[in-house]
Amino acid sequence: MVKPKEIRQETFESLCKIQCTRDEMCSVLCVDHKTLGKWCKATYGKTLELVMADFQAEGKASFRRIGIKLAEKNPAVWIFLAKNWLGM
């Protein structure tokens, strides 16, 4: 019997917050898409896509805070990041 791969919840959430794709998360966590999807359902009671969206939104809010601070020193970088990451 094969032991199920352990997925660290903290690592998964951090990957979501930095906007990693599903493929990138699977690579870092050393699991396949199905395993990650089943783990999300068991851990959060939601699909992988919904869980990712929740944590990615949190990451974008954090990014926005950083961007506002960055704008004080380098507005060109903030404009570029806001357009590309936040769709502004």
Side-chain angles (χ1 to χ4, degrees):
M1 184 172 185
V2 177
K3 181 181 174 188
K5 176 71 180 168
E6 182 180 335
I7 298 173
R8 293 191 57 223
Q9 191 170 351
E10 181 180 306
T11 303
F12 168 78
E13 291 174 6
S14 294
L15 293 170
C16 288
K17 289 176 187 178
I18 62 169
Q19 314 302 309
C20 285
T21 66
R22 183 181 64 177
D23 289 340
E24 291 167 341
M25 285 190 270
C26 287
S27 178
V28 171
L29 298 169
C30 301
V31 296
D32 63 19
H33 299 118
K34 288 182 182 180
T35 301
L36 189 56
K38 289 176 186 177
W39 178 83
C40 281
K41 196 70 165 170
T43 304
Y44 300 100
K46 298 181 196 177
T47 65
L48 171 60
E49 291 74 19
L50 290 175
V51 175
M52 283 177 62
D54 289 345
F55 287 111
Q56 286 175 341
E58 189 177 327
K60 284 184 180 182
S62 178
F63 182 76
R64 194 180 301 263
R65 278 190 298 277
I66 292 167
I68 290 169
K69 287 182 182 182
L70 179 62
E72 295 170 4
K73 296 183 181 185
N74 193 340
V77 172
W78 167 237
I79 291 166
F80 174 81
L81 294 174
K83 284 180 180 180
N84 287 281
W85 279 85
L86 303 174
M88 299 174 112

